C-alpha cells in the first residue's frame, strides 16, 4: 500500500518531466523558423529585391530617354542616364525629389523645394518585378513565419538599395542651364525608405503565400476582401484609366499643350487618373493655402485662390469633357453586368451592398493617393518660412467612388438581369471570362414558389433527380425540370453558355423593372447627350475664344463697327477714326492673328493672341468677362482690357481751330490747337485740308498693339506745318502797303502802329507826309508757325512837312524835311482775314 501510493507521488513531484520521465530542459530544442530556411531561399529573398529594382530601373531609364527625346533637353550624359532613373525609382517608393538653391540679388535668398509625384509606370515595374521574382526565384520553405522572414528580408534589401542609390547618385541640374544655381537633387528620404520597405515586404509576402496556398486560400484568409467584386472593380477602373491614358497620349501632341508632351512618360498615368476622377464627377483640387500664407508673411501678394477645384461643372469646361462622363456610365453598366455574371445567378445577399461600396471606396483611396502630387518649400533667408501644397484628386474622392459603388450594385441587382436576359451566348461567354467565373450555372425554368416542406394543392411532388434552387434571401425553393446531361454540359468550362435569365423576379416584376430600366436608361442617355451637346455648343459656339476671334477678324478686315461691339466700348462708331470707311483704308492693320491658349477662371477668361503688324510679330493677352448667360448655354462675353488706341493731334497755334481729315473724311475739329482721336491698330494719314492762305499738310500716325489705350501708339517724327500760299503772301504785302498808306494819310508821327518814317518830336504839329519813293517789301516766314514777316528790303523816301515851336517865340516855324521809310510787320490770318498783328 505504502509503495503503491508513493509511485504517483513521485510523478507529481516533477511536473516538468515528459511521459518518458525525462526533464524537458534536457531534451534537444526543436528547429526554429530561421533554421528551416534554406540558404538558397535567403539568397532568393535578396535577389528578388534586386530583380524588382532592376525592372523598375529599366522602365525608368526608358522614361528618362523618352522624356529627353520629346522635350529636347540636352541631358544625355552618363550622369543623367544613371542618376535620373535612380531618382525616379526612389520617387516611385513615395520619395520626394528635393533641391536647394542660394541666390544673391540685393539680399541673399536660400531655400529648398521638394516635389513628390508617383511615376506609375516605374512603380508598376517595381511591383511586378518584385512579385515575379519572389514567386519563382530561390524557392524554399515558405510556410508560416518563414514567409514573413523572407519577405522582410526582401523589403529591407529593397529599401536599403533604393535609398542608398538615390543618396549617392543625385541629379545634377546644371545640365539644364538654369539661371538660378541649383544644387544636386535627390529623392532619398525617410519616406522612400519606408515606402520601399512596406512595398517590398507586402508584395513578396503575397507572392510567397500565393505560391504555396494558391489564390483561393489567400483570398479565404483575407475574408474581409470581396475577391470577385475587387477583380471587377479593378477591371472597370483599370480599363477606364487605360482608355484615357491612350487618349491623352494621342491628343496632347495635337493640342495647344504640345509643349508638355515631354512630361507624358512620367505623368501620363497620373493625368489619366485625374481625368477618371473628373469623369466620375469628382474634382481635381489645387490647394495653395500655405503658399498664400507664406507670401503674405513675406510681404508679397498672391493672386491665387487658397483652393481651386476643377470639375465637369466648372466654368470653361468644354463639352468634350462630358464624353468622359458618358464613358464612365457605360463602363459602370459593363461592371454591373460582370458582377451579375460573377454571382452566378444567385440572388445577392444584403451584405453585397456593403462589399461593393467598400471595394470602390478602397479603390478611390488608392487612386486618390496615386493621382496626387505634393510639394513643399522652405526659405531660410532672409526669413524663415515654409509652405506645402497638393495637386490631385480632392480629399473627398473616395466618397464619390463609394457612391459609384452603390450605383453599380443597384445596376447589378435591378438592371443587369434584364439586359443579360437578352444577351447572346457569345456575350455571356465573354462576360464569364472577364468576370473570372469558372462555371456558369444553367438556366432552369422556374415554378411557383412555396415554403419549404409544403406542397400546393394540385401540384405533383417533383420526382427524384429534379433540380432544386433555393433563394438565400427568402428560403423558398425554386423547382425546375430534371437536369439533363446536355444542361450539365452547358455549365462546364468551354461550353457555350445558355442564355442568361433571372429566376429571382416574377414576370410582372421583371416587366416593371424592364420598363423602368428602359425609361431610366433613356432619360440618362438623353441627359448625358444634352449635357454633352450643350457643353460642346457652349464652349465652341458661345465660348470666349469666339468673341476674341470675331474681334481679331474685325481688326484684320477693318470693320470698326463689329470690333466696337465685341469690346463693349463706350466709344461710338464714327468717333475719330472709328468708322468702317476710315479704318478699312488704314494700312498695317494686324494680320495672321491666332489664339494659342485659353484660360477660364470663373467668369474671367484670358486668351493669349499672337499676331503681326507691319511685318513684326507681337503678342498680347486678351481678358474677357462673362456678362450673362442665356438659355443655360449661350454665354455673352465682353473684352475687358482692349480699347481703341488714342492719337493725340497737335496743330500750329496760328492756324486756330481747323478741321482734320483722314482718307478724305472729316474726323473732327481741333480745340485749343489739339484733338484726341480714337483709332484701332493701323497706320493713318491725318490731313489738314488746303485753304486760300495755307497749303495742305498731313502727318502719318501708327497705332500699334492690340490692347490700345494711351501710350500704345507711335507717331512719325513729322509735324503739321502751316505753309503759306502765294495768295497769303500777296495779301500780306497788300496789308502792309495799306498800313503804310493809312499811316501817311493820318500824319500821326508818334503812332506805334505805323512804320518808322523819320525823326519825330513832340514840338511838331500839322505833320504831313508825302511818299517820294515807295519801299521794296519782302515777305518771309515768321518765327511763329502760320505767320508771315513783311519787311523793307530797300527803304523808301518820304517828305515830312510840319510846324515847329520850341517855345522861344510866339510864332511857329514851318519846316520841311526828307526821311527814310522802313517797316517790319508780323502778318497773320485772324478770323479768316490777313491782318498786320504787330510792327517793330
Amino acid at each position: 500500500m505504502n509503495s503503491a501510493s508513493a509511485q504517483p507521488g513521485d510523478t507529481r513531484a516533477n511536473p516538468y518531466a515528459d511521459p518518458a520521465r525525462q526533464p524537458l530542459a534536457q531534451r534537444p530544442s526543436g528547429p526554429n523558423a530561421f533554421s528551416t530556411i534554406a540558404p538558397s531561399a535567403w539568397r532568393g529573398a535578396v535577389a528578388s529585391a534586386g530583380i524588382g529594382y532592376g525592372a523598375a530601373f529599366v522602365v525608368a531609364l526608358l522614361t528618362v530617354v523618352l522624356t529627353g527625346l520629346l522635350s529636347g533637353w540636352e541631358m544625355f550624359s552618363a550622369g543623367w542616364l544613371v542618376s535620373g532613373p535612380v531618382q525616379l525609382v526612389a520617387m516611385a517608393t513615395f520619395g520626394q525629389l528635393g533641391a536647394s538653391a542660394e541666390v544673391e540679388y540685393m539680399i541673399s535668398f536660400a531655400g529648398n523645394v521638394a516635389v513628390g509625384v508617383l511615376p506609375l509606370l516605374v512603380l508598376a515595374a517595381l511591383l511586378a518585378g518584385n512579385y515575379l521574382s519572389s514567386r519563382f526565384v530561390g524557392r524554399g520553405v515558405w510556410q508560416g513565419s518563414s514567409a514573413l522572414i523572407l519577405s522582410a528580408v526582401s523589403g529591407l534589401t529593397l529599401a536599403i538599395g533604393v535609398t542608398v542609390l538615390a543618396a549617392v547618385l543625385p541629379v545634377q541640374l546644371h545640365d539644364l542651364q538654369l539661371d538660378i544655381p541649383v544644387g544636386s537633387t535627390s529623392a532619398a528620404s525617410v519616406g522612400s525608405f519606408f515606402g520601399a520597405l512596406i512595398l517590398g515586404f507586402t508584395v513578396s509576402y503575397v507572392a510567397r503565400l500565393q505560391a504555396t496556398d494558391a489564390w483561393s486560400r489567400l483570398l479565404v484568409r483575407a475574408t474581409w476582401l470581396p475577391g470577385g467584386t475587387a477583380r471587377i472593380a479593378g477591371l472597370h477602373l483599370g480599363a477606364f484609366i487605360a482608355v484615357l491614358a491612350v487618349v491623352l497620349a494621342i491628343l496632347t501632341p495635337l493640342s495647344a499643350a504640345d509643349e508638355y508632351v515631354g512630361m507624358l512618360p512620367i505623368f501620363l498615368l497620373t493625368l489619366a487618373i485625374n481625368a477618371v476622377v473628373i469623369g466620375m464627377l469628382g474634382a481635381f483640387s489645387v490647394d495653395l493655402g500655405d503658399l498664400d500664407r507664406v507670401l503674405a508673411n513675406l510681404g508679397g501678394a498672391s493672386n491665387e485662390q487658397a483652393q481651386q477645384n476643377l470639375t465637369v461643372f466648372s466654368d470653361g469646361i468644354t463639352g468634350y469633357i462630358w464624353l468622359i462622363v458618358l464613358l464612365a456610365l457605360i463602363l459602370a453598366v459593363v461592371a454591373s453586368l460582370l458582377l451579375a455574371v460573377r454571382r452566378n445567378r444567385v440572388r445577392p445577399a444584403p451584405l453585397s451592398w456593403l462589399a461593393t461600396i467598400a471595394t470602390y471606396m478602397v479603390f478611390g483611396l488608392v487612386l486618390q493617393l496615386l493621382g496626387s502630387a505634393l510639394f513643399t518649400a522652405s526659405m531660410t533667408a532672409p526669413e524663415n518660412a515654409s509652405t506645402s501644397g497638393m495637386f490631385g484628386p480632392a480629399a473627398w474622392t473616395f466618397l464619390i467612388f463609394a457612391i459609384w459603388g452603390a450605383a453599380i450594385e443597384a445596376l447589378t441587382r435591378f438592371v443587369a438581369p434584364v439586359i443579360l436576359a437578352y444577351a447572346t451566348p457569345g456575350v455571356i461567354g465573354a462576360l464569364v471570362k472577364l468576370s473570372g467565373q469558372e462555371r456558369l450555372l444553367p438556366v432552369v425554368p422556374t415554378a411557383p414558389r412555396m415554403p419549404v416542406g409544403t406542397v400546393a394543392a394540385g401540384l405533383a411532388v417533383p420526382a427524384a433527380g429534379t433540380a432544386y434552387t433555393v433563394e438565400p434571401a427568402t428560403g423558398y425553393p425554386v423547382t425546375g425540370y430534371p437536369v439533363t446531361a446536355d444542361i450539365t454540359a452547358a455549365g462546364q468550362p468551354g461550353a457555350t453558355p445558355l442564355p442568361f435569365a433571372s429566376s429571382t423576379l416574377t414576370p410582372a416584376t421583371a416587366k416593371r423593372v424592364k420598363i423602368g430600366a428602359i425609361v431610366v436608361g433613356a432619360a440618362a442617355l438623353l441627359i448625358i447627350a444634352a449635357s454633352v451637346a450643350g457643353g460642346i455648343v457652349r464652349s465652341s459656339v458661345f465660348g470666349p475664344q469666339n468673341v476674341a476671334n470675331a474681334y481679331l477678324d474685325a481688326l484684320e478686315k477693318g470693320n470698326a463697327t463689329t470690333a466696337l461691339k465685341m469690346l463693349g466700348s463706350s466709344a461710338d462708331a464714327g468717333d475719330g477714326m472709328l468708322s468702317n470707311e476710315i479704318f478699312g483704308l488704314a494700312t498695317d492693320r494686324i494680320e495672321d492673328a491666332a489664339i494659342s491658349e485659353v484660360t477660364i477662371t470663373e467668369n474671367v477668361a484670358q486668351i493669349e493672341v499672337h499676331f503681326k503688324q507691319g511685318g513684326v510679330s507681337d503678342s498680347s493677352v486678351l481678358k474677357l468677362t462673362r456678362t450673362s448667360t442665356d438659355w443655360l448655354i449661350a454665354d455673352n462675353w465682353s473684352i475687358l482690357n482692349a480699347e481703341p488706341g488714342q492719337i493725340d493731334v497737335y496743330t500750329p497755334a496760328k492756324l486756330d481751330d481747323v478741321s482734320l481729315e483722314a482718307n478724305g473724311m472729316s474726323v473732327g475739329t481741333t480745340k485749343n490747337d489739339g484733338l484726341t482721336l480714337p483709332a484701332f491698330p493701323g497706320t493713318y494719314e491725318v490731313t489738314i485740308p488746303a485753304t486760300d492762305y495755307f497749303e495742305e499738310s498731313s502727318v502719318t500716325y501708327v497705332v500699334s498693339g492690340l490692347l490700345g489705350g494711351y501710350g500704345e501708339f507711335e507717331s512719325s517724327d513729322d509735324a503739321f506745318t502751316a505753309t503759306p500760299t502765294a495768295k497769303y503772301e500777296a495779301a500780306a504785302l497788300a496789308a502792309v502797303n495799306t498800313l503804310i498808306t493809312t499811316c501817311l494819310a493820318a500824319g500821326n508821327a508818334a503812332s506805334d502802329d505805323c512804320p518808322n518814317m523819320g525823326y519825330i518830336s513832340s514840338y511838331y504839329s500839322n505833320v504831313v507826309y508825302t511818299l517820294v519813293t515807295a519801299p521794296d517789301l519782302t515777305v518771309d516766314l515768321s518765327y511763329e508757325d502760320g505767320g508771315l514777316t513783311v519787311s523793307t528790303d530797300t527803304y523808301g523816301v518820304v517828305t515830312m512837312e510840319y510846324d515847329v515851336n520850341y517855345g522861344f517865340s510866339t510864332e511857329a516855324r514851318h519846316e520841311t524835311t526828307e526821311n527814310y521809310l522802313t517797316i517790319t510787320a508780323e502778318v497773320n490770318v485772324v478770323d479768316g482775314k490777313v491782318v498786320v498783328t504787330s510792327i517793330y
Side-chain angles (χ1 to χ4, degrees):
M1 297 280 301
N2 292 336
S3 61
S5 61
Q7 187 173 356
D10 294 338
T11 302
R12 288 192 299 269
N14 187 7
Y16 302 100
D18 65 354
R21 305 191 58 81
Q22 293 181 355
L24 291 177
Q26 296 178 0
R27 295 187 62 189
S29 59
N32 55 37
F34 290 93
S35 62
T36 59
I37 301 176
S40 61
W42 291 103
R43 292 191 297 269
V46 175
S48 64
I51 294 173
Y53 188 94
F57 182 88
V58 170
V59 175
L61 176 61
L62 295 175
T63 301
V64 170
V65 172
L66 185 58
T67 300
L69 290 174
L70 295 175
S71 302
W73 293 350
E74 298 178 358
M75 67 178 196
F76 295 102
S77 61
W80 264 103
L81 293 180
V82 175
S83 59
V86 166
Q87 301 306 323
L88 280 181
V89 175
M91 294 179 70
T93 58
F94 303 98
Q96 285 189 312
L97 189 64
S100 60
E102 294 184 4
V103 181
E104 293 288 341
Y105 182 76
M106 298 180 66
I107 59 176
S108 297
F109 289 89
N112 61 78
V113 177
V115 178
V117 63
L118 280 176
L120 296 179
L121 289 175
V122 179
L123 176 60
L126 177 67
L127 297 179
N130 200 18
Y131 170 80
L132 294 176
S133 59
S134 298
R135 177 71 173 79
F136 299 107
V137 176
R139 297 195 175 201
V141 180
W142 291 347
Q143 297 291 342
S145 58
S146 299
L148 289 172
I149 295 171
L150 292 174
S151 300
V153 170
S154 296
L156 184 60
T157 303
L158 181 63
I160 294 174
V162 167
T163 306
V164 171
L165 288 175
V168 301
L169 294 173
V171 173
Q172 303 294 331
L173 292 180
H174 56 78
D175 291 337
L176 296 180
Q177 300 177 353
L178 298 175
D179 295 332
I180 300 176
V182 180
S184 59
T185 64
S186 173
S189 61
V190 175
S192 66
F193 179 86
F194 282 103
L197 178 63
I198 295 173
L199 289 175
F201 169 78
T202 304
V203 173
S204 298
Y205 185 61
V206 170
R208 289 182 171 91
L209 287 182
Q210 195 274 335
T212 56
D213 294 346
W215 279 112
S216 58
R217 295 186 182 181
L218 179 62
L219 293 179
V220 169
R221 293 184 179 187
T223 54
W224 55 272
L225 181 65
T229 305
R231 173 192 176 95
I232 292 169
L235 286 174
H236 171 200
L237 299 176
F240 203 171
I241 294 171
V243 170
L244 291 184
V246 172
V247 171
L248 287 173
I250 295 174
L251 294 183
T252 301
L254 304 177
S255 67
D258 56 348
E259 65 268 24
Y260 300 109
V261 69
M263 305 304 294
L264 285 182
I266 298 177
F267 294 100
L268 178 60
L269 290 181
T270 302
L271 295 175
I273 288 175
N274 284 281
V276 166
V277 171
I278 293 177
M280 296 180 73
L281 306 182
F284 174 80
S285 177
V286 179
D287 189 354
L288 301 174
D290 287 344
L291 177 62
D292 185 73
R293 173 183 55 80
V294 169
L295 290 177
N297 292 338
L298 294 176
S302 173
N303 294 326
E304 300 289 344
Q305 299 181 5
Q307 184 169 358
Q308 298 178 354
N309 294 321
L310 178 65
T311 69
V312 293
F313 305 104
S314 299
D315 290 333
I317 291 296
T318 65
Y320 295 103
I321 299 298
W322 282 93
L323 294 176
I324 304 178
V325 179
L326 179 60
L327 179 59
L329 292 175
I330 293 173
L331 291 178
V333 173
V334 174
S336 69
L337 298 178
L338 291 173
L339 269 180
V341 171
R342 176 78 185 188
R343 289 169 181 171
N344 211 0
R345 296 191 178 87
V346 176
R347 172 177 286 184
L351 288 179
S352 63
W353 283 101
L354 180 60
T356 308
I357 293 173
T359 300
Y360 274 87
M361 185 171 66
V362 170
F363 274 94
L365 287 170
V366 173
L367 294 183
Q368 186 173 327
L369 174 64
L370 297 180
S372 298
L374 306 175
F375 76 90
T376 59
S378 63
M379 180 179 292
T380 57
E383 182 179 346
N384 289 328
S386 62
T387 182
S388 63
M390 185 275 292
F391 301 86
W396 59 86
T397 298
F398 69 97
L399 296 177
I400 299 294
F401 275 72
I403 295 173
W404 278 87
I408 290 173
E409 178 65 25
L411 290 173
T412 303
R413 289 170 174 262
F414 306 114
V415 177
V418 178
I419 297 176
L420 291 172
Y422 297 93
T424 63
V427 172
I428 297 295
L431 293 174
V432 169
K433 292 180 181 179
L434 284 175
S435 67
Q437 181 63 272
E438 298 179 356
R439 181 186 180 92
L440 185 64
L441 294 180
V443 179
V444 291
T446 60
R449 290 183 249 181
M450 55 187 174
V452 177
T454 63
V455 178
L459 291 178
V461 178
T466 302
Y468 288 88
T469 303
V470 178
E471 296 184 8
T474 63
Y476 288 95
V478 178
T479 61
Y481 298 106
V483 180
T484 65
D486 293 337
I487 295 178
T488 304
Q492 298 299 327
T496 301
L498 296 176
F500 194 98
S502 172
S503 61
T504 61
L505 299 176
T506 64
T509 304
K511 183 177 181 180
R512 288 194 297 269
V513 170
K514 177 181 177 181
I515 295 174
I518 293 175
V519 172
V520 172
L525 290 177
L526 181 61
I527 293 173
I528 293 298
S531 300
V532 172
I536 293 175
V537 171
R538 184 178 188 182
S539 61
S540 59
V541 179
F542 301 105
Q545 69 277 3
N546 296 315
V547 175
N549 282 326
Y551 176 63
L552 298 173
D553 183 67
L555 294 184
E556 290 192 35
K557 295 180 179 179
N559 191 331
T561 304
T562 301
L564 285 173
K565 290 180 180 180
M566 299 297 103
L567 291 179
S569 174
S570 58
D572 294 328
D575 290 350
M577 310 287 195
L578 304 180
S579 68
N580 293 342
E581 293 79 7
I582 296 176
F583 185 35
L585 294 177
T587 59
D588 291 337
R589 296 193 300 269
I590 69 168
E591 58 184 1
D592 299 335
I595 292 174
S596 63
E597 185 175 355
V598 180
T599 303
I600 302 176
T601 303
E602 295 183 352
N603 290 325
V604 177
Q606 296 191 33
I607 300 178
E608 185 174 351
V609 180
H610 299 272
F611 61 94
K612 290 182 179 180
Q613 185 176 3
V616 179
S617 299
D618 199 357
S619 64
S620 295
V621 176
L622 288 177
K623 293 184 179 180
L624 296 89
T625 181
R626 192 196 330 261
T627 57
S628 62
T629 301
D630 301 327
W631 303 102
L632 300 178
I633 59 173
D635 292 332
N636 299 307
W637 295 87
S638 178
I639 301 175
L640 284 175
N641 64 330
E643 282 287 335
Q646 303 291 332
I647 295 177
D648 292 331
V649 178
Y650 299 98
T651 59
K654 293 303 180 180
L655 291 181
D656 290 332
D657 292 334
V658 296
S659 296
L660 302 177
E661 291 183 355
N663 299 332
M665 298 187 62
S666 176
V667 293
T669 302
T670 60
K671 297 184 182 302
N672 299 323
D673 310 324
L675 181 64
T676 297
L677 299 173
F680 285 116
T683 300
Y684 302 86
E685 185 174 354
V686 180
T687 303
I688 299 177
T691 62
D692 291 340
Y693 301 120
F694 295 100
E695 295 180 359
E696 179 182 289
S697 178
S698 62
V699 173
T700 300
Y701 291 91
V702 178
V703 180
S704 63
L706 191 63
L707 303 182
Y710 290 100
E712 291 293 337
F713 69 91
E714 298 176 358
S715 174
S716 65
D717 294 334
D718 297 334
F720 286 108
T721 59
T723 304
T725 61
K727 185 176 182 179
Y728 183 13
E729 293 179 356
L733 288 174
V736 173
N737 285 323
T738 299
L739 175 66
I740 292 173
T741 301
T742 301
C743 289
L744 289 174
N748 188 356
S751 174
D752 293 333
D753 297 328
C754 289
N756 181 18
M757 291 180 286
Y759 174 76
I760 57 176
S761 172
S762 59
Y763 296 105
Y764 296 173
S765 61
N766 300 322
V767 179
V768 176
Y769 293 103
T770 301
L771 180 64
V772 177
T773 303
D776 292 333
L777 299 177
T778 302
V779 180
D780 297 307
L781 293 177
S782 173
Y783 67 91
E784 293 184 358
D785 196 9
L788 294 176
T789 300
V790 180
S791 59
T792 52
D793 186 30
T794 300
Y795 55 82
V797 178
V798 296
T799 300
M800 183 175 65
E801 297 181 18
Y802 55 90
D803 296 329
V804 61
N805 186 353
Y806 296 105
F808 303 118
S809 66
T810 57
E811 295 182 1
R813 189 174 64 242
H814 184 78
E815 294 182 358
T816 301
T817 184
E818 190 175 79
N819 295 321
Y820 296 113
L821 172 60
T822 61
I823 186 171
T824 300
E826 288 294 323
V827 181
N828 289 281
V829 178
V830 178
D831 295 333
K833 297 180 179 181
V834 178
V835 296
V836 177
T837 53
S838 64
I839 62 172
Y840 49 90

